[in-house]
Amino acid sequence: MTTSGTIRAGMGGWTFEPWEGTFYPDKLAKKKQLEFASTQVPTIEVNGTYYSGFTPATYAKWNAETPENFVFSIKGNRFVTNRKILAEAGESMKKFFAQGLEELGPKLGPLVWQFAPTKKFEPDDFEGFLKLLPEKHQGLKLRHALEVRHGSFAVPEFVALAAKYNMAICYAHHHDYPEFADITGDFVYARLQKGEDNVPTAYKPKDLSAWAKRAELWAAGGQPDDLPYADPAHKAKKVPRDVFVYFIHEGKIRAPHAAMAFMQEIGQA
């Protein structure tokens, strides 16, 4: 009987010039970067999908270039989330799902819906948006993570809505945005964004170890008692959950090394 979910750590994207010669071997062809990166970490968050659409051929290519158990996290397009009335995002959402995500097959991981820092919590409109998010796509079960960036979401009503639709609230470890560690879905999604380029593993070893312990607790169905919650009274059911951890934003030069060190911490390197 499984007593813990699967923990995966990675970084945002695989194309970043400062990684050439630091993470990537010298003279590695750019077209080989995804293939190499996917053998070093078990997951990558794709941010390019936030800015533009891709083709089925591109998703099929990503699938072919990565190992069997690799997982892509895909960021939802900005035209879906950056709008005054979220409940009117239906057409943009249809375009997003029509681009060929199904070509990733079982490698399609969580879909991350990131909202602008100025977007306030309006319960009725936000629920209208959640109702638009499909549970399945072309036979693939979908997992949705909600990354909100305005303090107005730090209320029990938001937590209740996310839980009602079985969607994860993204835990963002960030210098400027609010942090919510409430468990509302059947997986946990964390973006660790306080790394430093002058630290070989972005986060200092003791901090990396602390995050690894939190991830292990999440995977076993627990909730860390040293993180902030929007609704401290909300207690999620204690069941195993898959955990996705991404090192991104600050300390980006060292993000791949952070992810690899993190996987070593949990004994899965």
Side-chain angles (χ1 to χ4, degrees), residues 234-268:
H234 173 79
K235 300 299 179 185
K237 186 177 180 181
K238 191 170 184 180
V239 294
R241 289 180 173 85
D242 286 349
V243 178
F244 296 85
V245 177
Y246 295 97
F247 294 88
I248 203 163
H249 191 56
E250 302 295 343
K252 185 172 180 177
I253 292 175
R254 299 298 181 182
H257 305 90
M260 291 187 290
F262 182 95
M263 295 306 293
Q264 288 180 336
E265 279 283 339
I266 62 172
Q268 294 186 31

PDB file of all heavy atoms in Angstrom, residues 234-268:
ATOM      1  N   HIS A 234      -8.713  25.090   8.047  1.00  0.00           N
ATOM      2  CA  HIS A 234      -8.964  24.079   7.014  1.00  0.00           C
ATOM      3  C   HIS A 234      -7.939  22.956   7.135  1.00  0.00           C
ATOM      4  O   HIS A 234      -6.737  23.188   7.063  1.00  0.00           O
ATOM      5  CB  HIS A 234      -8.876  24.717   5.622  1.00  0.00           C
ATOM      6  CG  HIS A 234      -8.963  23.719   4.502  1.00  0.00           C
ATOM      7  ND1 HIS A 234     -10.161  23.178   4.074  1.00  0.00           N
ATOM      8  CD2 HIS A 234      -7.997  23.164   3.733  1.00  0.00           C
ATOM      9  CE1 HIS A 234      -9.920  22.345   3.087  1.00  0.00           C
ATOM     10  NE2 HIS A 234      -8.621  22.313   2.860  1.00  0.00           N
ATOM     11  N   LYS A 235      -8.406  21.745   7.301  1.00  0.00           N
ATOM     12  CA  LYS A 235      -7.524  20.594   7.409  1.00  0.00           C
ATOM     13  C   LYS A 235      -7.834  19.620   6.276  1.00  0.00           C
ATOM     14  O   LYS A 235      -8.933  19.095   6.185  1.00  0.00           O
ATOM     15  CB  LYS A 235      -7.693  19.887   8.763  1.00  0.00           C
ATOM     16  CG  LYS A 235      -7.388  20.785   9.971  1.00  0.00           C
ATOM     17  CD  LYS A 235      -5.948  21.287   9.949  1.00  0.00           C
ATOM     18  CE  LYS A 235      -5.661  22.186  11.141  1.00  0.00           C
ATOM     19  NZ  LYS A 235      -4.301  22.787  11.073  1.00  0.00           N
ATOM     20  N   ALA A 236      -6.870  19.434   5.405  1.00  0.00           N
ATOM     21  CA  ALA A 236      -7.065  18.522   4.280  1.00  0.00           C
ATOM     22  C   ALA A 236      -7.006  17.076   4.745  1.00  0.00           C
ATOM     23  O   ALA A 236      -6.357  16.752   5.749  1.00  0.00           O
ATOM     24  CB  ALA A 236      -5.995  18.776   3.229  1.00  0.00           C
ATOM     25  N   LYS A 237      -7.683  16.218   4.030  1.00  0.00           N
ATOM     26  CA  LYS A 237      -7.667  14.794   4.331  1.00  0.00           C
ATOM     27  C   LYS A 237      -6.240  14.274   4.218  1.00  0.00           C
ATOM     28  O   LYS A 237      -5.513  14.616   3.286  1.00  0.00           O
ATOM     29  CB  LYS A 237      -8.581  14.041   3.364  1.00  0.00           C
ATOM     30  CG  LYS A 237      -8.756  12.571   3.683  1.00  0.00           C
ATOM     31  CD  LYS A 237      -9.735  11.930   2.714  1.00  0.00           C
ATOM     32  CE  LYS A 237      -9.931  10.449   3.029  1.00  0.00           C
ATOM     33  NZ  LYS A 237     -10.867   9.801   2.069  1.00  0.00           N
ATOM     34  N   LYS A 238      -5.825  13.467   5.165  1.00  0.00           N
ATOM     35  CA  LYS A 238      -4.457  12.953   5.156  1.00  0.00           C
ATOM     36  C   LYS A 238      -4.352  11.736   4.244  1.00  0.00           C
ATOM     37  O   LYS A 238      -4.595  10.600   4.648  1.00  0.00           O
ATOM     38  CB  LYS A 238      -3.998  12.603   6.574  1.00  0.00           C
ATOM     39  CG  LYS A 238      -2.509  12.322   6.644  1.00  0.00           C
ATOM     40  CD  LYS A 238      -1.987  12.222   8.066  1.00  0.00           C
ATOM     41  CE  LYS A 238      -0.478  12.027   8.072  1.00  0.00           C
ATOM     42  NZ  LYS A 238       0.065  11.936   9.437  1.00  0.00           N
ATOM     43  N   VAL A 239      -4.008  11.999   2.993  1.00  0.00           N
ATOM     44  CA  VAL A 239      -3.814  10.949   1.998  1.00  0.00           C
ATOM     45  C   VAL A 239      -2.541  11.273   1.222  1.00  0.00           C
ATOM     46  O   VAL A 239      -2.129  12.434   1.144  1.00  0.00           O
ATOM     47  CB  VAL A 239      -5.018  10.872   1.024  1.00  0.00           C
ATOM     48  CG1 VAL A 239      -6.271  10.428   1.754  1.00  0.00           C
ATOM     49  CG2 VAL A 239      -5.243  12.209   0.326  1.00  0.00           C
ATOM     50  N   PRO A 240      -1.884  10.271   0.639  1.00  0.00           N
ATOM     51  CA  PRO A 240      -0.670  10.533  -0.132  1.00  0.00           C
ATOM     52  C   PRO A 240      -0.945  11.495  -1.285  1.00  0.00           C
ATOM     53  O   PRO A 240      -1.998  11.419  -1.934  1.00  0.00           O
ATOM     54  CB  PRO A 240      -0.276   9.147  -0.654  1.00  0.00           C
ATOM     55  CG  PRO A 240      -0.895   8.192   0.312  1.00  0.00           C
ATOM     56  CD  PRO A 240      -2.188   8.833   0.716  1.00  0.00           C
ATOM     57  N   ARG A 241      -0.016  12.403  -1.523  1.00  0.00           N
ATOM     58  CA  ARG A 241      -0.157  13.366  -2.615  1.00  0.00           C
ATOM     59  C   ARG A 241       1.150  13.481  -3.392  1.00  0.00           C
ATOM     60  O   ARG A 241       2.225  13.507  -2.795  1.00  0.00           O
ATOM     61  CB  ARG A 241      -0.537  14.755  -2.073  1.00  0.00           C
ATOM     62  CG  ARG A 241      -1.944  14.855  -1.537  1.00  0.00           C
ATOM     63  CD  ARG A 241      -2.246  16.264  -1.013  1.00  0.00           C
ATOM     64  NE  ARG A 241      -3.655  16.380  -0.646  1.00  0.00           N
ATOM     65  CZ  ARG A 241      -4.158  16.018   0.525  1.00  0.00           C
ATOM     66  NH1 ARG A 241      -3.345  15.528   1.463  1.00  0.00           N
ATOM     67  NH2 ARG A 241      -5.447  16.137   0.779  1.00  0.00           N
ATOM     68  N   ASP A 242       1.048  13.565  -4.714  1.00  0.00           N
ATOM     69  CA  ASP A 242       2.224  13.887  -5.515  1.00  0.00           C
ATOM     70  C   ASP A 242       2.622  15.328  -5.214  1.00  0.00           C
ATOM     71  O   ASP A 242       1.760  16.184  -4.991  1.00  0.00           O
ATOM     72  CB  ASP A 242       1.937  13.730  -7.004  1.00  0.00           C
ATOM     73  CG  ASP A 242       1.846  12.274  -7.435  1.00  0.00           C
ATOM     74  OD1 ASP A 242       2.200  11.390  -6.628  1.00  0.00           O
ATOM     75  OD2 ASP A 242       1.420  12.016  -8.580  1.00  0.00           O
ATOM     76  N   VAL A 243       3.924  15.581  -5.235  1.00  0.00           N
ATOM     77  CA  VAL A 243       4.443  16.909  -4.920  1.00  0.00           C
ATOM     78  C   VAL A 243       5.341  17.395  -6.050  1.00  0.00           C
ATOM     79  O   VAL A 243       6.236  16.674  -6.496  1.00  0.00           O
ATOM     80  CB  VAL A 243       5.242  16.884  -3.594  1.00  0.00           C
ATOM     81  CG1 VAL A 243       5.818  18.260  -3.288  1.00  0.00           C
ATOM     82  CG2 VAL A 243       4.360  16.404  -2.444  1.00  0.00           C
ATOM     83  N   PHE A 244       5.081  18.598  -6.506  1.00  0.00           N
ATOM     84  CA  PHE A 244       5.893  19.230  -7.545  1.00  0.00           C
ATOM     85  C   PHE A 244       6.553  20.472  -6.956  1.00  0.00           C
ATOM     86  O   PHE A 244       5.864  21.359  -6.432  1.00  0.00           O
ATOM     87  CB  PHE A 244       5.024  19.626  -8.741  1.00  0.00           C
ATOM     88  CG  PHE A 244       4.392  18.455  -9.440  1.00  0.00           C
ATOM     89  CD1 PHE A 244       3.200  17.910  -8.988  1.00  0.00           C
ATOM     90  CD2 PHE A 244       5.003  17.878 -10.546  1.00  0.00           C
ATOM     91  CE1 PHE A 244       2.618  16.818  -9.609  1.00  0.00           C
ATOM     92  CE2 PHE A 244       4.437  16.786 -11.186  1.00  0.00           C
ATOM     93  CZ  PHE A 244       3.238  16.256 -10.722  1.00  0.00           C
ATOM     94  N   VAL A 245       7.876  20.532  -7.033  1.00  0.00           N
ATOM     95  CA  VAL A 245       8.633  21.659  -6.484  1.00  0.00           C
ATOM     96  C   VAL A 245       9.506  22.243  -7.582  1.00  0.00           C
ATOM     97  O   VAL A 245      10.282  21.518  -8.224  1.00  0.00           O
ATOM     98  CB  VAL A 245       9.524  21.201  -5.303  1.00  0.00           C
ATOM     99  CG1 VAL A 245      10.362  22.370  -4.795  1.00  0.00           C
ATOM    100  CG2 VAL A 245       8.679  20.622  -4.183  1.00  0.00           C
ATOM    101  N   TYR A 246       9.357  23.556  -7.818  1.00  0.00           N
ATOM    102  CA  TYR A 246      10.146  24.200  -8.862  1.00  0.00           C
ATOM    103  C   TYR A 246      10.975  25.346  -8.291  1.00  0.00           C
ATOM    104  O   TYR A 246      10.461  26.184  -7.544  1.00  0.00           O
ATOM    105  CB  TYR A 246       9.224  24.727  -9.973  1.00  0.00           C
ATOM    106  CG  TYR A 246       8.512  23.609 -10.686  1.00  0.00           C
ATOM    107  CD1 TYR A 246       7.210  23.251 -10.327  1.00  0.00           C
ATOM    108  CD2 TYR A 246       9.151  22.865 -11.676  1.00  0.00           C
ATOM    109  CE1 TYR A 246       6.563  22.192 -10.937  1.00  0.00           C
ATOM    110  CE2 TYR A 246       8.504  21.806 -12.288  1.00  0.00           C
ATOM    111  CZ  TYR A 246       7.213  21.474 -11.928  1.00  0.00           C
ATOM    112  OH  TYR A 246       6.586  20.420 -12.529  1.00  0.00           O
ATOM    113  N   PHE A 247      12.249  25.349  -8.647  1.00  0.00           N
ATOM    114  CA  PHE A 247      13.153  26.439  -8.282  1.00  0.00           C
ATOM    115  C   PHE A 247      13.182  27.384  -9.469  1.00  0.00           C
ATOM    116  O   PHE A 247      13.549  26.996 -10.587  1.00  0.00           O
ATOM    117  CB  PHE A 247      14.542  25.885  -7.964  1.00  0.00           C
ATOM    118  CG  PHE A 247      14.549  25.019  -6.743  1.00  0.00           C
ATOM    119  CD1 PHE A 247      14.289  23.648  -6.845  1.00  0.00           C
ATOM    120  CD2 PHE A 247      14.772  25.556  -5.486  1.00  0.00           C
ATOM    121  CE1 PHE A 247      14.273  22.844  -5.720  1.00  0.00           C
ATOM    122  CE2 PHE A 247      14.752  24.753  -4.350  1.00  0.00           C
ATOM    123  CZ  PHE A 247      14.501  23.397  -4.467  1.00  0.00           C
ATOM    124  N   ILE A 248      12.805  28.621  -9.226  1.00  0.00           N
ATOM    125  CA  ILE A 248      12.522  29.514 -10.346  1.00  0.00           C
ATOM    126  C   ILE A 248      12.671  30.964  -9.899  1.00  0.00           C
ATOM    127  O   ILE A 248      12.748  31.249  -8.697  1.00  0.00           O
ATOM    128  CB  ILE A 248      11.086  29.213 -10.855  1.00  0.00           C
ATOM    129  CG1 ILE A 248      10.894  29.652 -12.286  1.00  0.00           C
ATOM    130  CG2 ILE A 248      10.029  29.734  -9.919  1.00  0.00           C
ATOM    131  CD1 ILE A 248       9.672  29.014 -12.938  1.00  0.00           C
ATOM    132  N   HIS A 249      12.753  31.883 -10.840  1.00  0.00           N
ATOM    133  CA  HIS A 249      12.819  33.319 -10.579  1.00  0.00           C
ATOM    134  C   HIS A 249      14.189  33.705 -10.032  1.00  0.00           C
ATOM    135  O   HIS A 249      15.178  33.653 -10.741  1.00  0.00           O
ATOM    136  CB  HIS A 249      11.676  33.750  -9.641  1.00  0.00           C
ATOM    137  CG  HIS A 249      11.520  35.242  -9.544  1.00  0.00           C
ATOM    138  ND1 HIS A 249      11.328  36.034 -10.652  1.00  0.00           N
ATOM    139  CD2 HIS A 249      11.531  36.078  -8.482  1.00  0.00           C
ATOM    140  CE1 HIS A 249      11.229  37.302 -10.273  1.00  0.00           C
ATOM    141  NE2 HIS A 249      11.349  37.359  -8.957  1.00  0.00           N
ATOM    142  N   GLU A 250      14.280  34.071  -8.738  1.00  0.00           N
ATOM    143  CA  GLU A 250      15.576  34.456  -8.173  1.00  0.00           C
ATOM    144  C   GLU A 250      16.486  33.224  -8.082  1.00  0.00           C
ATOM    145  O   GLU A 250      16.036  32.117  -7.861  1.00  0.00           O
ATOM    146  CB  GLU A 250      15.400  35.064  -6.781  1.00  0.00           C
ATOM    147  CG  GLU A 250      14.492  36.287  -6.724  1.00  0.00           C
ATOM    148  CD  GLU A 250      15.048  37.471  -7.494  1.00  0.00           C
ATOM    149  OE1 GLU A 250      16.263  37.482  -7.803  1.00  0.00           O
ATOM    150  OE2 GLU A 250      14.262  38.385  -7.800  1.00  0.00           O
ATOM    151  N   GLY A 251      17.794  33.461  -8.271  1.00  0.00           N
ATOM    152  CA  GLY A 251      18.732  32.348  -8.217  1.00  0.00           C
ATOM    153  C   GLY A 251      18.594  31.423  -9.407  1.00  0.00           C
ATOM    154  O   GLY A 251      18.940  30.239  -9.336  1.00  0.00           O
ATOM    155  N   LYS A 252      18.116  31.947 -10.528  1.00  0.00           N
ATOM    156  CA  LYS A 252      17.830  31.096 -11.678  1.00  0.00           C
ATOM    157  C   LYS A 252      19.074  30.393 -12.227  1.00  0.00           C
ATOM    158  O   LYS A 252      18.991  29.264 -12.714  1.00  0.00           O
ATOM    159  CB  LYS A 252      17.165  31.913 -12.789  1.00  0.00           C
ATOM    160  CG  LYS A 252      16.728  31.057 -13.980  1.00  0.00           C
ATOM    161  CD  LYS A 252      15.895  31.832 -14.978  1.00  0.00           C
ATOM    162  CE  LYS A 252      15.489  30.940 -16.147  1.00  0.00           C
ATOM    163  NZ  LYS A 252      14.617  31.629 -17.115  1.00  0.00           N
ATOM    164  N   ILE A 253      20.224  31.066 -12.142  1.00  0.00           N
ATOM    165  CA  ILE A 253      21.440  30.449 -12.661  1.00  0.00           C
ATOM    166  C   ILE A 253      21.709  29.121 -11.959  1.00  0.00           C
ATOM    167  O   ILE A 253      22.197  28.168 -12.555  1.00  0.00           O
ATOM    168  CB  ILE A 253      22.643  31.405 -12.502  1.00  0.00           C
ATOM    169  CG1 ILE A 253      22.483  32.617 -13.437  1.00  0.00           C
ATOM    170  CG2 ILE A 253      23.955  30.691 -12.805  1.00  0.00           C
ATOM    171  CD1 ILE A 253      23.559  33.678 -13.276  1.00  0.00           C
ATOM    172  N   ARG A 254      21.354  29.058 -10.686  1.00  0.00           N
ATOM    173  CA  ARG A 254      21.605  27.854  -9.892  1.00  0.00           C
ATOM    174  C   ARG A 254      20.376  26.955  -9.750  1.00  0.00           C
ATOM    175  O   ARG A 254      20.417  25.963  -9.021  1.00  0.00           O
ATOM    176  CB  ARG A 254      22.099  28.258  -8.503  1.00  0.00           C
ATOM    177  CG  ARG A 254      23.400  29.044  -8.525  1.00  0.00           C
ATOM    178  CD  ARG A 254      24.530  28.230  -9.100  1.00  0.00           C
ATOM    179  NE  ARG A 254      25.798  28.970  -9.112  1.00  0.00           N
ATOM    180  CZ  ARG A 254      26.936  28.492  -9.595  1.00  0.00           C
ATOM    181  NH1 ARG A 254      26.959  27.274 -10.125  1.00  0.00           N
ATOM    182  NH2 ARG A 254      28.036  29.212  -9.576  1.00  0.00           N
ATOM    183  N   ALA A 255      19.290  27.298 -10.418  1.00  0.00           N
ATOM    184  CA  ALA A 255      18.044  26.533 -10.260  1.00  0.00           C
ATOM    185  C   ALA A 255      18.182  25.041 -10.577  1.00  0.00           C
ATOM    186  O   ALA A 255      17.681  24.202  -9.809  1.00  0.00           O
ATOM    187  CB  ALA A 255      16.939  27.158 -11.101  1.00  0.00           C
ATOM    188  N   PRO A 256      18.843  24.668 -11.684  1.00  0.00           N
ATOM    189  CA  PRO A 256      18.975  23.224 -11.934  1.00  0.00           C
ATOM    190  C   PRO A 256      19.739  22.505 -10.828  1.00  0.00           C
ATOM    191  O   PRO A 256      19.393  21.390 -10.443  1.00  0.00           O
ATOM    192  CB  PRO A 256      19.740  23.164 -13.264  1.00  0.00           C
ATOM    193  CG  PRO A 256      19.508  24.492 -13.908  1.00  0.00           C
ATOM    194  CD  PRO A 256      19.436  25.462 -12.779  1.00  0.00           C
ATOM    195  N   HIS A 257      20.788  23.170 -10.312  1.00  0.00           N
ATOM    196  CA  HIS A 257      21.577  22.561  -9.241  1.00  0.00           C
ATOM    197  C   HIS A 257      20.745  22.435  -7.963  1.00  0.00           C
ATOM    198  O   HIS A 257      20.897  21.465  -7.210  1.00  0.00           O
ATOM    199  CB  HIS A 257      22.836  23.405  -8.985  1.00  0.00           C
ATOM    200  CG  HIS A 257      23.668  23.621 -10.208  1.00  0.00           C
ATOM    201  ND1 HIS A 257      23.475  24.698 -11.046  1.00  0.00           N
ATOM    202  CD2 HIS A 257      24.673  22.887 -10.751  1.00  0.00           C
ATOM    203  CE1 HIS A 257      24.336  24.626 -12.052  1.00  0.00           C
ATOM    204  NE2 HIS A 257      25.070  23.536 -11.894  1.00  0.00           N
ATOM    205  N   ALA A 258      19.864  23.416  -7.736  1.00  0.00           N
ATOM    206  CA  ALA A 258      18.979  23.350  -6.574  1.00  0.00           C
ATOM    207  C   ALA A 258      18.062  22.143  -6.687  1.00  0.00           C
ATOM    208  O   ALA A 258      17.865  21.393  -5.716  1.00  0.00           O
ATOM    209  CB  ALA A 258      18.160  24.636  -6.474  1.00  0.00           C
ATOM    210  N   ALA A 259      17.474  21.954  -7.867  1.00  0.00           N
ATOM    211  CA  ALA A 259      16.558  20.829  -8.072  1.00  0.00           C
ATOM    212  C   ALA A 259      17.275  19.490  -7.907  1.00  0.00           C
ATOM    213  O   ALA A 259      16.743  18.553  -7.286  1.00  0.00           O
ATOM    214  CB  ALA A 259      15.920  20.924  -9.450  1.00  0.00           C
ATOM    215  N   MET A 260      18.491  19.405  -8.442  1.00  0.00           N
ATOM    216  CA  MET A 260      19.242  18.151  -8.326  1.00  0.00           C
ATOM    217  C   MET A 260      19.623  17.882  -6.872  1.00  0.00           C
ATOM    218  O   MET A 260      19.519  16.744  -6.387  1.00  0.00           O
ATOM    219  CB  MET A 260      20.484  18.200  -9.220  1.00  0.00           C
ATOM    220  CG  MET A 260      20.159  18.167 -10.705  1.00  0.00           C
ATOM    221  SD  MET A 260      21.634  18.010 -11.772  1.00  0.00           S
ATOM    222  CE  MET A 260      22.407  19.622 -11.543  1.00  0.00           C
ATOM    223  N   ALA A 261      20.051  18.931  -6.151  1.00  0.00           N
ATOM    224  CA  ALA A 261      20.405  18.773  -4.741  1.00  0.00           C
ATOM    225  C   ALA A 261      19.180  18.401  -3.912  1.00  0.00           C
ATOM    226  O   ALA A 261      19.263  17.603  -2.976  1.00  0.00           O
ATOM    227  CB  ALA A 261      21.036  20.057  -4.223  1.00  0.00           C
ATOM    228  N   PHE A 262      18.034  18.972  -4.275  1.00  0.00           N
ATOM    229  CA  PHE A 262      16.785  18.660  -3.584  1.00  0.00           C
ATOM    230  C   PHE A 262      16.439  17.187  -3.741  1.00  0.00           C
ATOM    231  O   PHE A 262      16.057  16.506  -2.779  1.00  0.00           O
ATOM    232  CB  PHE A 262      15.665  19.538  -4.154  1.00  0.00           C
ATOM    233  CG  PHE A 262      14.331  19.357  -3.496  1.00  0.00           C
ATOM    234  CD1 PHE A 262      13.926  20.191  -2.463  1.00  0.00           C
ATOM    235  CD2 PHE A 262      13.446  18.371  -3.934  1.00  0.00           C
ATOM    236  CE1 PHE A 262      12.693  20.034  -1.863  1.00  0.00           C
ATOM    237  CE2 PHE A 262      12.211  18.213  -3.345  1.00  0.00           C
ATOM    238  CZ  PHE A 262      11.823  19.047  -2.304  1.00  0.00           C
ATOM    239  N   MET A 263      16.557  16.682  -4.951  1.00  0.00           N
ATOM    240  CA  MET A 263      16.264  15.263  -5.195  1.00  0.00           C
ATOM    241  C   MET A 263      17.236  14.373  -4.428  1.00  0.00           C
ATOM    242  O   MET A 263      16.859  13.280  -3.968  1.00  0.00           O
ATOM    243  CB  MET A 263      16.298  14.961  -6.693  1.00  0.00           C
ATOM    244  CG  MET A 263      15.217  15.656  -7.519  1.00  0.00           C
ATOM    245  SD  MET A 263      13.520  15.349  -6.916  1.00  0.00           S
ATOM    246  CE  MET A 263      13.354  13.579  -7.260  1.00  0.00           C
ATOM    247  N   GLN A 264      18.477  14.812  -4.263  1.00  0.00           N
ATOM    248  CA  GLN A 264      19.426  14.061  -3.456  1.00  0.00           C
ATOM    249  C   GLN A 264      18.999  14.036  -1.992  1.00  0.00           C
ATOM    250  O   GLN A 264      19.122  13.018  -1.310  1.00  0.00           O
ATOM    251  CB  GLN A 264      20.834  14.664  -3.583  1.00  0.00           C
ATOM    252  CG  GLN A 264      21.494  14.416  -4.923  1.00  0.00           C
ATOM    253  CD  GLN A 264      22.890  15.022  -5.000  1.00  0.00           C
ATOM    254  OE1 GLN A 264      23.210  15.968  -4.281  1.00  0.00           O
ATOM    255  NE2 GLN A 264      23.709  14.500  -5.890  1.00  0.00           N
ATOM    256  N   GLU A 265      18.474  15.172  -1.524  1.00  0.00           N
ATOM    257  CA  GLU A 265      18.022  15.272  -0.137  1.00  0.00           C
ATOM    258  C   GLU A 265      16.927  14.253   0.186  1.00  0.00           C
ATOM    259  O   GLU A 265      16.859  13.716   1.292  1.00  0.00           O
ATOM    260  CB  GLU A 265      17.491  16.678   0.152  1.00  0.00           C
ATOM    261  CG  GLU A 265      18.550  17.710   0.435  1.00  0.00           C
ATOM    262  CD  GLU A 265      19.130  17.585   1.841  1.00  0.00           C
ATOM    263  OE1 GLU A 265      18.468  16.996   2.724  1.00  0.00           O
ATOM    264  OE2 GLU A 265      20.248  18.077   2.055  1.00  0.00           O
ATOM    265  N   ILE A 266      16.050  14.008  -0.790  1.00  0.00           N
ATOM    266  CA  ILE A 266      14.969  13.061  -0.536  1.00  0.00           C
ATOM    267  C   ILE A 266      15.349  11.637  -0.991  1.00  0.00           C
ATOM    268  O   ILE A 266      14.509  10.732  -1.019  1.00  0.00           O
ATOM    269  CB  ILE A 266      13.652  13.500  -1.222  1.00  0.00           C
ATOM    270  CG1 ILE A 266      13.807  13.556  -2.749  1.00  0.00           C
ATOM    271  CG2 ILE A 266      13.202  14.853  -0.686  1.00  0.00           C
ATOM    272  CD1 ILE A 266      12.507  13.781  -3.484  1.00  0.00           C
ATOM    273  N   GLY A 267      16.613  11.484  -1.370  1.00  0.00           N
ATOM    274  CA  GLY A 267      17.115  10.164  -1.716  1.00  0.00           C
ATOM    275  C   GLY A 267      16.635   9.628  -3.040  1.00  0.00           C
ATOM    276  O   GLY A 267      16.538   8.426  -3.238  1.00  0.00           O
ATOM    277  N   GLN A 268      16.350  10.551  -3.993  1.00  0.00           N
ATOM    278  CA  GLN A 268      15.850  10.113  -5.292  1.00  0.00           C
ATOM    279  C   GLN A 268      16.700  10.650  -6.446  1.00  0.00           C
ATOM    280  O   GLN A 268      16.218  10.789  -7.552  1.00  0.00           O
ATOM    281  CB  GLN A 268      14.400  10.555  -5.469  1.00  0.00           C
ATOM    282  CG  GLN A 268      13.442   9.877  -4.521  1.00  0.00           C
ATOM    283  CD  GLN A 268      12.003  10.218  -4.815  1.00  0.00           C
ATOM    284  OE1 GLN A 268      11.607  10.456  -5.952  1.00  0.00           O
ATOM    285  NE2 GLN A 268      11.180  10.257  -3.769  1.00  0.00           N
TER     286      GLN A 268
END
